Every structure is written in structure tokens, then in C-alpha cells.
Amino acid sequence: MIRYASVLLTSAFALGATAAAAQEERFITIGTGGQTGVYYVVGQSICRLVNRDTETTGIKCTAPSTGGSVANVNAIKSGDMTMGVAQSDIQYHAYNGSSPEFEGDMKFDNLRAVFSVHPEPFTVVARKDANIASFDDLKGKRVNVGNPGSGQLATMEVVLGAKGWSMSDFSLASQLKPAEQSAALGDNKVDAIIYTVGHPNGSIQEATSTVEANLVPVEGPEIDKLVEENAYYAKATIPGGMYAGTDTDTNTFGVKATFVTSADVPEDLVYEVVKAVFDNFDRFKGLHPAFENLEPEAMVTEGNSAPLHPGAEKYYKEKGWIQ
Ligand code: GLU
């Protein structure tokens, strides 16, 4: 069940209220991620555009910080949130019930895709003094593997499974949030941190500027196999020079951030949200450097494995972006 308040603003009881149209006020909540990540900016940006039209649409939007992808999908399923941002692998697994987080009752076949957003490379950052030049060097190290509810923790589990490792291959597998992990790296509480996130972002900037640190490539036959076998993964490169301490390109793999909702959310509501974003697309793109290369048609056709929500589909058809 989706819970959001419907309030009739124009009181039907108001004496003398003549032909004023009833304006329905509706509240939507968008699940994001940690405040130092990019999901938070995605949610805040969408809400900013939606709220410009509140007077005509009646829709009021908020986008609080959350634990990330898995937490967002679960909150949409329970009706605590209306929409949310989730990694493309999490979208796939939630819809198909195909990963440990979404097995059995946790499967969410009412999940609906709205659009995909920026690419998110699986990013590993290590302290220089920990001498970590490849993913394999993480064995025996202190690693922050991602907070509960985050996409990075779920994707880290997949990588460990592919390599035949487990969390006990690390001397410490901490689960700090994104906002805490950069400081933990600087304070020498961990040797490396993991973040599946768009670039450039403030969190990795902080991690690489508070202590000498380097990005770590994530590649090899197991990663090739993951990318070959799963359409929601792709090879990714973090450009050299983007962060202090890493002048050459870093090869890894990654997902796309996607924007999702539930089939229970009304068509006109999703239509208005999508319209607010794409009618003001240049403004949206300007709100974060990770959005720089976004193209509407690719956002509609790539990275989504759940069916499109009918409200989104309606707008894309009007634009001629889909048949
Ligand atoms: N990809 C991360 C997650 O799914 C969030 C990244 C961000 O907040 O930008 O939890």
C-alpha cells in the first residue's frame, strides 16, 4: 500500500466558493543515499524541479538522505517512499528476486523503472601507505565494505562471490556510512573504502585529499565474466587526474544509477515528476558534474530491467523517445 496524504485545498465547505477548481495537494518522498554521494543530489534536484510547479500540480516533493539502493527499494515496496534511486543491478535483482537481499518475500515485482541516470563505477580507494595496487591486495586488509542497505555492500558481496572470497578474507570488514568512511580512511581506521558512486563526487574528493590515497583497479577474469554475463554491469574507467594521487585512468566495472517507483503509484503523479525533469533538462544537468553526459533517450532505454512505469511511458511516447 502506498501512503501519501491527499488533501483538498479548496474546501468544499467554504461558503461562497464558486467555481474554484479543487486543487489536490499530494506529497511524494524520494529515497536517496548518503549526503556526500550523488543520489542525494539526484533526489534533491528532482524535488527542486517538481516543487517549482507545486502551485499548478499540487505535488510537494522531499528527498531525505537514506542508506542507499537496497533501503530505497524496500521503502518503496513498503509504501514508506514514493520513488527512489537504485543501482541497475539492485533494480534487476529486486524485480526478479534474484539476489540474497530480494529472495522469497523480499522480491518486488511491482517495482517499475522511471529512467536511468549517471554511471556509477565500483570505486575502491586505498591509503598509499597500505600498498594496495589491485583488488587482490585487499586480502588481509581493513576494508570498509559499505553500510547496510547500500548498493556498494550488495555489489561488494557479488565481487567477493565471483572471486571465491568472503568477508573473513579481510582483517576488518567495517560497515560505516559514506559520510563516515572518508574520515575513517584519513584517520587510519581502515586501509581502503568501497563506494559505488558517480564521479566526480565530494566523498572521494575528501578521501583523497585528507590523506595520501590512490584509486584501486578492479579487473581480471572474474570481473570480465561478471560483465559478460550480466547486462546491468559494464566496464568503467575513472579518468586519471580527477582525484589527487591518481594520475592515470583506473579500470573497474560499474552500474548505472536508476530512478524507480512502484506500480501502485498513480500514473499522473509519475508523469508530472518525469515532465518536471525533462521539460527542464538543461537545468537538471547543471545541478551536478556527474550528470554532464546524460542524454534523455539513453536514460529512457538503458539500464532499466523492470518495466517502465506507465506515467513515464506516456511522457516518453509523447516525446517520441520510445514507440
Ligand atoms: N550507489 C550507492 C548505493 O546504491 C549510492 C551512491 C550515491 O549516494 O550517490 O547505495
Side-chain angles (χ1 to χ4, degrees):
M1 263 302 289
I2 293 290
R3 276 182 259 134
Y4 45 87
S6 274
V7 182
L8 280 183
L9 276 188
T10 307
S11 167
F13 316 114
L15 288 176
T18 47
Q23 171 76 46
E24 207 186 348
E25 191 173 89
R26 292 182 290 177
F27 295 92
I28 63 170
T29 314
I30 295 176
T32 63
Q35 278 172 0
T36 56
V38 185
Y39 285 13
Y40 189 68
V41 184
V42 172
Q44 293 290 318
S45 303
I46 294 172
C47 280
R48 193 190 287 194
L49 298 174
V50 167
N51 290 338
R52 278 157 45 101
D53 296 331
T54 303
E55 221 164 89
T56 47
T57 63
I59 302 171
K60 285 191 175 166
C61 182
T62 52
S65 169
T66 71
S69 285
V70 176
N72 295 342
V73 168
N74 288 332
I76 295 168
K77 183 168 186 272
S78 69
D80 288 338
M81 296 215 168
T82 326
M83 308 180 94
V85 193
Q87 293 178 193
S88 48
D89 54 344
I90 303 300
Q91 181 186 136
Y92 179 92
H93 289 309
Y95 181 69
N96 292 291
S98 51
S99 72
E101 298 85 10
F102 299 105
E103 266 167 14
D105 281 356
M106 297 310 288
K107 177 177 169 175
F108 183 20
D109 42 22
N110 257 352
L111 182 67
R112 291 294 175 268
V114 182
F115 52 74
S116 62
V117 208
H118 54 281
E120 299 189 273
F122 182 77
T123 306
V124 181
V125 187
R127 291 174 61 91
K128 275 249 156 71
D129 61 11
N131 292 318
I132 297 169
S134 72
F135 191 89
D136 287 358
D137 294 336
L138 291 175
K139 219 169 216 178
K141 302 285 188 186
R142 300 165 301 161
V143 182
N144 193 67
V145 294
N147 60 291
S150 71
Q152 49 273 11
L153 178 58
T155 306
M156 183 65 168
E157 301 269 13
V158 171
V159 174
L160 294 183
K163 294 190 81 72
W165 295 17
S166 73
M167 290 294 177
S168 54
D169 282 301
F170 303 123
S171 62
L172 170 76
S174 57
Q175 300 198 339
L176 299 173
K177 292 180 188 167
E180 300 159 343
Q181 69 173 355
S182 302
L185 190 77
D187 294 345
N188 202 9
K189 300 226 166 68
V190 294
D191 298 305
I193 59 173
I194 310 289
Y195 204 1
T196 313
V197 67
H199 294 285
N201 69 77
S203 185
I204 304 297
Q205 250 143 16
E206 187 194 333
T208 50
S209 57
T210 48
V211 65
E212 275 197 80
N214 57 284
L215 298 186
V216 178
V218 184
E219 53 191 355
E222 299 91 353
I223 301 299
D224 291 346
K225 189 160 177 274
L226 274 183
V227 172
E228 249 160 58
E229 289 177 353
N230 301 292
Y232 45 77
Y233 290 139
K235 291 277 176 74
T237 301
I238 306 165
M242 188 172 262
Y243 299 105
T246 306
D247 298 330
T248 54
D249 289 357
T250 304
N251 293 330
T252 180
F253 78 110
V255 291
K256 270 198 172 191
T258 71
F259 190 47
V260 296
T261 188
S262 161
D264 291 339
V265 175
E267 185 175 320
D268 69 309
L269 199 64
V270 175
Y271 179 90
E272 291 297 348
V273 172
V274 166
K275 185 173 177 347
V277 171
F278 289 106
D279 280 4
N280 300 289
F281 195 60
D282 285 342
R283 194 181 286 260
F284 178 79
K285 264 173 72 165
L287 293 171
H288 196 285
F291 304 158
E292 196 177 285
N293 296 318
L294 294 183
E295 299 283 351
E297 285 180 61
M299 293 167 73
V300 169
T301 51
E302 291 171 9
N304 298 315
S305 40
L308 275 180
H309 188 282
E313 205 170 43
K314 182 173 172 226
Y315 183 85
Y316 305 151
K317 281 189 176 154
E318 282 171 12
K319 287 281 175 191
W321 295 339
I322 57 170
Q323 294 297 305

